[in-house]
C-alpha cells in the first residue's frame, strides 16, 4: 500500500497503487452490491477514498449513475448551499522558460506575442476588473527567473491591494505561479495572498516528463511536492488541479484524490479547492493532438464524483468551459466560477489584442454581469465574499466550520451582502431587479435569527452607501 504520510511524491502518488485501483474499479464497475454500499457511505457526507470514488466514476449502471448525479447535487447544497463564488484571472506575464507542449507560453513558441505588465499597466487592469465588480483575483504568470522573479510577483500583489477606485477594491489575491521554495512561500504568505494554486497537469510521471521536456517544471517530484512546501511556509489554503486530456482521465482522477488524501493525512487539511480544467486550443496548440480529451458527459461525472469524494472542498470551473457545460456541472458540485475572464496579458484594457497573448481560448465569453444574471436566473447566489481570508477562517479552521455546517452562518450572509454591493455599484437594471428578489428570498432562509437580523441591517446600510461588511 502506498505511503500517504510520506513527504515524497513517489510514495504518496504511487503508480502501482493507481494501476491497482484502475484494475479494481474495472472489475467492480457493474457490481451492484458494492456500488450500493459506496453510495450509502457517501450519503454520510464524510467522503470516499480513491478506490471507492473510481468505482463510482467507472459505474456503467444507468440507475446508479443517475443516483450519483443526484447525490452530488445534494451534497453540494448541504455544504455550500446555492452560493457560487466569483473570481477572475489576471495574467501578469507570459514569458516562460518551460517547454510544456500543451501550453502556448512554452519557451520554444516563436509565434505568440510576449508581454509583461508594468505596475502602471497592472493598475489599469485592476481598475478595469474593479469596474466590472470583481473583488477576488487569481494572478497568473509564466515561469521565468529573470523576467518574472518572485520580487515582481510580490510587488504586483502590493500594487493590486493598494488600488481603491470608486467603490472598488480587490479584497483577496490568489496566486497561481510555479512551484517554489518554502522561504518563497513564506514571502507570499506575508504578502497576504489567499489560496496558493498549482495545477499538477498530470500525475502520470512518465507522461508528465514527456509533456514537460525542458525547464524547471520538468522536475516531477519538485512540482508534485509543492503543496507540502507551501503549507510548510505557512500557507493554509492550497488549490490543486489537473488538466484533463493530458493522460487518461481515470489515472489523473485517482492521482488527484490521492494527493488530497495525502494533504489531509500529512498536513492536517486537504486542498481548499480542486480545479478541473480541460485541454483547450490556443496559439500553437491543437486539441486534436491529445487523444485523451474527455467528453462533456465524463466531465460532468468527474465533477459529481469529486463532490461526493471530497465534499468539503471547493470545486472550480473556469471560462475554459462553455455556458452549457458550466450549467451542468454547477448542478453537481461546482462552487466557484470565473466571469468576464481574459486569459491574455493586458486583456482587460486591450481586449482587441486578446488573441496575441492568450494562454487558451475562452469558451464562455459573456460579461460578468451576464454571468451574474444567468446564475441568479437559476436561483444561485453569486458571491463576491472574501471574509474568511480576512477573518482568519482558513486551513483547518475553515474546514472544521464546513464539516460541522457552521460555515453557512458566515457564508450565506456574506454572500448576500457582497451580492448587494455588486447590485448597487455595477449591475445592469435587469440584473439588479432579479438580484434584489433573490436577496429577499434568501434572507428569509437564513436559519439563525440573530444572523438574519444583522445581515438585513447591513444590506440596508449597503443600500445607503456603506461598504465592506462581513461576518
Amino acid at each position: 500500500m502506498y505511503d500517504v504520510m510520506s513527504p515524497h511524491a513517489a510514495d504518496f502518488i504511487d503508480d502501482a497503487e493507481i494501476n491497482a485501483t484502475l484494475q479494481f474499479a474495472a472489475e467492480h464497475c457493474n457490481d451492484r452490491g458494492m456500488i450500493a454500499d459506496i453510495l450509502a457511505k457517501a450519503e454520510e457526507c464524510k467522503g470516499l477514498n480513491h478506490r471507492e470514488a473510481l468505482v463510482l466514476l467507472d459505474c456503467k449502471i444507468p440507475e446508479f449513475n443517475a443516483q450519483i448525479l443526484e447525490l452530488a447535487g445534494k451534497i453540494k447544497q448541504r455544504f455550500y448551499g446555492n452560493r457560487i463564488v466569483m473570481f477572475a484571472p489576471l495574467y501578469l506575464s507570459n514569458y516562460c522558460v518551460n517547454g510544456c507542449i500543451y501550453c502556448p507560453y512554452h519557451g520554444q513558441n516563436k509565434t505568440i506575442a510576449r508581454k509583461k505588465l508594468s505596475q502602471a499597466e497592472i493598475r489599469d487592469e485592476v481598475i478595469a476588473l474593479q469596474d466590472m465588480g470583481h473583488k477576488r483575483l487569481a494572478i497568473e504568470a509564466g515561469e521565468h527567473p529573470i523576467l518574472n522573479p518572485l520580487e515582481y510577483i510580490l510587488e504586483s500583489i502590493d500594487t493590486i491591494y493598494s488600488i481603491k477606485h470608486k467603490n472598488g477594491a480587490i479584497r483577496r489575491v490568489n496566486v497561481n505561479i510555479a512551484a517554489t521554495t518554502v522561504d518563497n512561500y513564506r514571502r507570499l504568505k506575508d504578502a497576504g495572498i489567499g489560496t496558493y494554486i498549482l495545477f499538477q497537469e498530470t500525475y502520470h510521471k512518465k507522461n508528465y516528463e514527456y509533456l514537460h521536456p525542458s525547464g524547471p517544471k520538468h522536475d516531477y517530484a519538485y512540482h508534485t511536492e509543492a503543496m507540502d512546501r507551501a503549507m510548510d511556509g505557512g500557507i493554509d489554503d492550497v488549490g490543486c488541479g489537473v488538466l484533463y486530456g493530458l493522460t487518461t482521465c481515470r489515472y489523473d482522477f485517482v492521482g488527484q484524490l490521492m494527493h488530497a488524501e495525502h494533504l489531509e493525512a500529512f498536513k492536517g487539511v486537504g486542498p481548499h479547492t480542486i480545479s478541473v480544467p480541460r485541454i483547450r486550443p490556443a496559439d500553437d496548440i491543437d486539441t486534436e493532438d491529445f487523444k485523451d480529451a474527455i467528453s462533456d458527459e465524463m466531465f460532468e461525472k468527474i465533477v459529481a464524483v469529486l463532490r461526493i469524494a471530497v465534499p468539503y472542498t471547493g470545486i472550480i470551473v473556469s471560462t475554459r468551459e462553455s455556458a452549457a457545460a458550466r450549467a451542468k456541472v454547477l448542478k453537481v458540485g461546482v462552487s466557484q466560477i470565473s466571469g468576464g475572464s481574459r486569459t491574455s496579458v493586458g486583456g482587460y484594457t486591450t481586449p482587441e489584442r486578446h488573441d496575441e497573448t492568450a494562454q487558451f481560448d475562452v469558451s464562455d465569453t459573456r460579461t460578468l454581469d451576464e454571468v451574474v444574471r444567468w446564475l441568479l436566473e437559476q436561483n444561485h447566489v453569486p458571491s463576491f465574499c472574501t471574509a474568511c481570508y480576512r477573518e482568519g477562517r482558513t486551513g483547518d479552521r475553515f474546514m472544521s466550520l464546513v464539516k460541522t455546517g457552521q460555515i453557512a452562518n458566515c457564508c450565506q450572509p456574506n454572500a448576500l451582502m457582497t451580492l448587494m454591493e455588486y447590485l448597487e455599484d455595477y449591475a445592469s437594471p435587469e440584473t439588479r431587479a432579479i438580484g434584489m428578489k433573490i436577496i429577499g428570498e434568501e434572507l428569509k432562509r437564513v436559519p439563525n435569527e440573530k444572523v438574519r437580523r444583522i445581515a438585513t441591517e447591513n444590506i440596508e446600510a449597503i443600500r445607503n452607501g456603506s461598504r465592506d461588511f462581513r461576518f
Side-chain angles (χ1 to χ4, degrees):
M1 189 66 175
Y2 77 107
D3 187 355
V4 70
M5 298 292 286
S6 171
H8 303 296
D11 295 326
F12 65 79
I13 306 295
D14 183 279
D15 178 71
E17 169 61 18
I18 295 180
N19 285 319
T21 298
L22 299 182
Q23 182 64 32
F24 178 85
E27 292 171 353
H28 294 282
C29 62
N30 290 308
D31 186 331
R32 288 178 173 271
M34 178 177 289
I35 294 168
D37 288 344
I38 293 172
L39 287 171
K41 177 183 176 181
E43 287 177 355
E44 298 175 5
C45 297
K46 295 181 181 178
L48 301 175
N49 64 44
H50 57 275
R51 286 203 173 191
E52 294 164 334
L54 188 63
V55 170
L56 294 189
L57 188 68
D58 279 0
C59 174
K60 303 294 192 294
I61 304 169
E63 61 265 35
F64 281 132
N65 283 331
Q67 288 182 41
I68 289 167
L69 298 181
E70 181 181 3
L71 179 59
K74 289 179 179 178
I75 291 174
K76 190 267 175 181
Q77 189 68 27
R78 172 173 172 175
F79 289 104
Y80 287 91
N82 53 358
R83 300 178 299 277
I84 303 296
V85 172
M86 308 300 300
F87 75 97
L90 174 59
Y91 282 74
L92 301 180
S93 171
N94 64 357
Y95 286 97
C96 192
V97 296
N98 289 311
C100 316
I101 66 174
Y102 53 86
C103 175
Y105 288 0
H106 64 86
Q108 291 71 40
N109 186 357
K110 304 302 181 184
T111 63
I112 196 169
R114 301 289 178 174
K115 183 172 177 58
K116 172 184 175 181
L117 296 180
S118 68
Q119 297 305 308
E121 289 171 323
I122 290 172
R123 178 180 176 82
D124 291 341
E125 288 280 286
V126 170
I127 288 174
L129 284 157
Q130 289 174 346
D131 281 343
M132 291 183 200
H134 278 294
K135 306 295 183 188
R136 178 194 305 240
L137 301 183
I139 60 172
E140 319 261 351
E143 184 171 11
H144 198 297
I146 297 174
L147 292 174
N148 305 331
L150 186 68
E151 287 71 22
Y152 170 67
I153 302 299
L154 295 172
E155 183 183 9
S156 300
I157 293 169
D158 285 343
T159 295
I160 293 167
Y161 279 139
S162 74
I163 301 165
K164 313 299 179 191
H165 174 67
K166 299 180 180 177
N167 285 331
I170 301 304
R171 295 172 179 161
R172 191 52 50 192
V173 176
N174 296 336
V175 175
N176 184 355
I177 61 170
T180 187
T181 64
V182 172
D183 285 343
N184 282 343
Y185 286 125
R186 288 196 184 101
R187 297 173 71 188
L188 287 168
K189 172 69 173 180
D190 291 342
I193 72 165
T195 304
Y196 173 67
I197 303 161
L198 184 68
F199 294 171
Q200 180 60 29
E201 318 300 2
T202 178
Y203 285 96
H204 192 288
K205 186 174 185 291
K206 182 178 179 180
N207 285 358
Y208 180 96
E209 291 172 345
Y210 165 75
L211 291 161
H212 306 91
S214 60
K217 198 170 178 177
H218 177 75
D219 189 334
Y220 173 86
Y222 188 77
H223 188 85
T224 310
E225 295 160 9
M227 295 308 182
D228 294 68
R229 294 194 302 278
M231 289 183 165
D232 288 343
I235 296 176
D236 296 271
D237 292 337
V238 297
C240 300
V242 296
L243 183 55
Y244 279 101
L246 298 183
T247 299
T248 63
C249 66
R250 298 171 71 241
Y251 192 102
D252 277 336
F253 175 84
V254 176
Q256 198 164 35
L257 287 179
M258 290 172 71
H259 201 169
E261 291 166 359
H262 162 71
L263 294 175
E264 181 80 40
F266 193 52
K267 297 299 181 182
V269 61
H272 186 69
T273 59
I274 289 178
S275 296
V276 287
R278 290 191 283 180
I279 190 76
R280 290 284 299 154
D283 180 75
D284 68 339
I285 307 300
D286 186 349
T287 54
E288 295 298 319
D289 295 335
F290 297 87
K291 61 181 176 60
D292 291 317
I294 60 175
S295 67
D296 287 353
E297 291 73 22
M298 178 55 76
F299 180 59
E300 180 185 23
K301 195 172 183 186
I302 285 172
V303 171
V305 181
L306 281 174
R307 172 53 63 214
I308 292 170
V310 281
Y312 321 120
T313 299
I315 298 179
I316 300 176
V317 168
S318 75
T319 51
R320 283 177 181 264
E321 298 299 333
S322 67
R326 299 217 289 179
K328 285 186 176 181
V329 294
L330 279 167
K331 295 178 181 178
V332 297
V334 165
S335 57
Q336 293 190 28
I337 67 170
S338 51
S341 301
R342 293 284 176 174
T343 64
S344 52
V345 183
Y348 295 106
T349 52
T350 56
E352 68 278 3
R353 297 184 60 191
H354 174 72
D355 291 341
E356 297 178 12
T357 63
Q359 188 184 32
F360 59 85
D361 292 347
V362 170
S363 292
D364 189 345
T365 60
R366 294 173 295 177
T367 66
L368 177 60
D369 190 74
E370 289 171 334
V371 172
V372 169
R373 184 163 66 250
W374 169 70
L375 289 171
L376 291 167
E377 288 170 345
Q378 298 179 77
N379 292 314
H380 295 295
V381 176
S383 173
F384 296 85
C385 179
T386 59
C388 282
Y389 293 116
R390 294 181 289 156
E391 296 296 325
R393 294 189 294 265
T394 57
D396 57 358
R397 295 173 296 283
F398 174 83
M399 285 299 176
S400 66
L401 288 170
V402 174
K403 292 175 181 180
T404 59
Q406 295 302 309
I407 196 66
N409 289 324
C410 303
C411 289
Q412 187 70 353
N414 282 319
L416 295 175
M417 288 187 291
T418 58
L419 174 58
M420 188 68 201
E421 288 180 324
Y422 176 82
L423 297 177
E424 287 291 306
D425 294 339
Y426 308 105
S428 65
E430 297 82 2
T431 301
R432 190 177 190 278
I434 300 170
M436 292 298 293
K437 180 181 177 182
I438 292 290
I439 287 175
E441 293 171 350
E442 290 296 322
L443 277 172
K444 296 175 184 176
R445 297 191 181 105
V446 175
N448 185 294
E449 183 178 350
K450 181 180 179 181
V451 171
R452 182 170 64 249
R453 175 178 55 79
I454 295 172
T456 301
E457 292 171 354
N458 287 346
I459 285 171
E460 186 60 31
I462 290 168
R463 295 185 69 177
N464 293 326
S466 298
R467 291 294 178 271
D468 194 19
F469 289 100
R470 59 184 185 268
F471 280 94

